[in-house]
Amino acid sequence: MAAQAGDWPEQLQLHGFASQGYILTTGNNYFGDSIDGGSFDFRELGLNASWRVRPGLQFSAQAVSRLAGETDDGAIRLDFGFLDDRFLAGREGQMGIRLGRILNPLGFYLDTRDVAFARPSILLPQSIYFDVNRNLALSLDGAQLYGERYGETGNLSLQLQWGYPRVDDPDFERSIFFGPVPGELDPDPTWLARLGYESVDARFRFAVSGGQVNVGYDPHGPGDVLGSGRFRFEPLIFSAQYNARYWDLTAEYARRSASVRDFGPEFPDVGFTGESYYLQGTYRFAPRWEALLRYDVLYWDKEDRNGTAFAAATGLPAYRRFAKDLTLGMRWDVTPAFMLRTEFHYIDGTGWLSELENPVPSETERYWTLFSVLGSYRF
């Protein structure tokens, strides 16, 4: 006979979520064929568990099935699974180490991006939290040392992480090489870190996070024109938030240095620094109702913000190198377990579009809109 929830030991916690979305766009596809009649190819199913082996020692894991048009096929995978050993705990703080597949400490929302109830909108600000390279950004396989310090003026937190990134995103190689390649990407040693502060009353939150993500390339035999090169990505994110009783303001600014090296004469060395930021406000105007307004900006190269030099060098549209997104959204918590959301985006540029879903750059449109509805249930 199957065990019921009431039969589980107190040390074991099981939770899950299910979300279904609908997306309708003009000009460009997003999460499926979203132009003609819209797309329902946006679904998130997740089950997470935690088992407290003893005080201070806990195992946590989450399996997810995510369908997102051509960028995610709905296959079940392990988003995170790690052993957490909190070896020091007291009234003034705690320290511990996590081993396994660990969530990456970048920005405010990366740790909880899969849970619709925990993120501020249906789509996170794409200038910082890219959906097309979600797996790479979400977690890595390695170790994290963490600590928290509690004080009368607020709490400090620090995460230091080392490991190997996940390179199984379908769009990732296209974002590097502007198309598919015959060889395979290999994860190389990577480090990430985040330092955070939160006031005692939780009104103010600040964080700075960053690191160095390294990926190598394994050529596909002697016929591959590309050599054993490497890709390096170095994000730096500054985050700030003010929380009032009925409203809050959030802003994040990021600089991203990227370089591609040693791939041979067919793909010369290149490096650039991107820049992105957003300003977001939410207002809880009635019980269980919340409105959102956000302006989100992405530049892949801060020295070529309008993409003119990129277009001259590649023949591709200049607007492929930036995106400016004005978003209006609404949230209704129908019950504590069921939520409905809707949002509208007006976008200038295609900087965060998937090439898998928009394979012919000349057929994309610079100015386009995105409308979405999402229902989400949790237990």
Side-chain angles (χ1 to χ4, degrees), residues 109 119-125 241 246-250 278-285 289-296 325-332 341-345:
Y109 299 117
R119 59 183 186 244
S121 52
I122 297 175
L123 301 180
L124 284 172
Q241 186 175 77
Y246 296 112
W247 56 274
D248 61 62
L249 287 175
T250 306
Y278 72 87
L279 178 63
Q280 170 186 285
T282 63
Y283 177 53
R284 292 167 287 280
F285 60 90
W289 286 88
E290 182 178 276
L292 173 138
L293 175 64
R294 181 172 65 221
Y295 184 59
D296 184 28
D325 179 6
L326 179 63
T327 303
L328 299 172
M330 193 75 67
R331 168 176 174 166
W332 177 29
R341 264 198 169 120
T342 185
E343 61 191 45
F344 175 80
H345 301 248

Side-chain angles (χ1 to χ4, degrees), residues 115-155:
V115 184
F117 281 83
R119 59 183 186 244
S121 52
I122 297 175
L123 301 180
L124 284 172
Q126 292 299 297
S127 68
I128 294 177
Y129 304 99
F130 301 107
D131 275 323
V132 291
N133 293 327
R134 171 192 168 279
N135 295 341
L136 176 75
L138 183 66
S139 56
L140 58 70
D141 299 324
Q144 181 188 94
L145 181 68
Y146 69 90
E148 292 184 73
R149 174 75 174 180
Y150 315 135
E152 294 182 358
T153 59
N155 302 327

Side-chain angles (χ1 to χ4, degrees), residues 60-228:
S60 301
Q62 177 170 286
V64 166
S65 168
R66 185 173 184 270
L67 177 66
E70 295 294 327
T71 67
D72 228 328
D73 61 5
I76 298 175
R77 59 173 173 267
L78 184 70
D79 265 355
F80 64 83
F82 56 85
L83 190 67
D84 185 340
D85 183 9
R86 188 182 58 188
F87 53 79
L88 179 64
R91 296 179 60 183
E92 297 182 350
Q94 62 176 355
M95 289 188 66
I97 188 170
R98 298 181 177 117
L99 303 172
R101 177 162 289 182
I102 309 162
L103 292 169
N104 291 332
L106 290 173
F108 276 155
Y109 299 117
L110 192 60
D111 312 50
T112 56
R113 68 179 300 165
D114 276 335
V115 184
F117 281 83
R119 59 183 186 244
S121 52
I122 297 175
L123 301 180
L124 284 172
Q126 292 299 297
S127 68
I128 294 177
Y129 304 99
F130 301 107
D131 275 323
V132 291
N133 293 327
R134 171 192 168 279
N135 295 341
L136 176 75
L138 183 66
S139 56
L140 58 70
D141 299 324
Q144 181 188 94
L145 181 68
Y146 69 90
E148 292 184 73
R149 174 75 174 180
Y150 315 135
E152 294 182 358
T153 59
N155 302 327
L156 288 173
S157 63
L158 177 65
Q159 294 95 31
L160 301 173
Q161 191 160 306
W162 179 92
Y164 293 86
R166 299 166 61 192
V167 295
D168 53 345
D169 277 306
D171 257 314
F172 182 44
E173 66 180 35
R174 292 172 179 264
S175 65
I176 301 175
F177 302 105
F178 307 115
V181 290
E184 295 184 354
L185 298 176
D186 289 326
D188 284 339
T190 290
W191 68 269
L192 299 167
R194 179 173 61 195
L195 176 65
Y197 166 81
E198 183 173 320
S199 62
V200 175
D201 59 5
R203 281 184 175 270
F204 295 96
R205 291 177 65 203
F206 301 99
V208 57
S209 49
Q212 185 183 93
V213 180
N214 295 296
V215 178
Y217 180 74
D218 184 15
H220 183 67
D224 196 335
V225 298
L226 298 177
S228 299

Side-chain angles (χ1 to χ4, degrees), residues 292-307:
L292 173 138
L293 175 64
R294 181 172 65 221
Y295 184 59
D296 184 28
V297 177
L298 163 70
Y299 299 111
W300 277 110
D301 187 347
K302 68 182 184 65
E303 302 300 330
D304 183 32
R305 293 174 183 264
N306 59 11

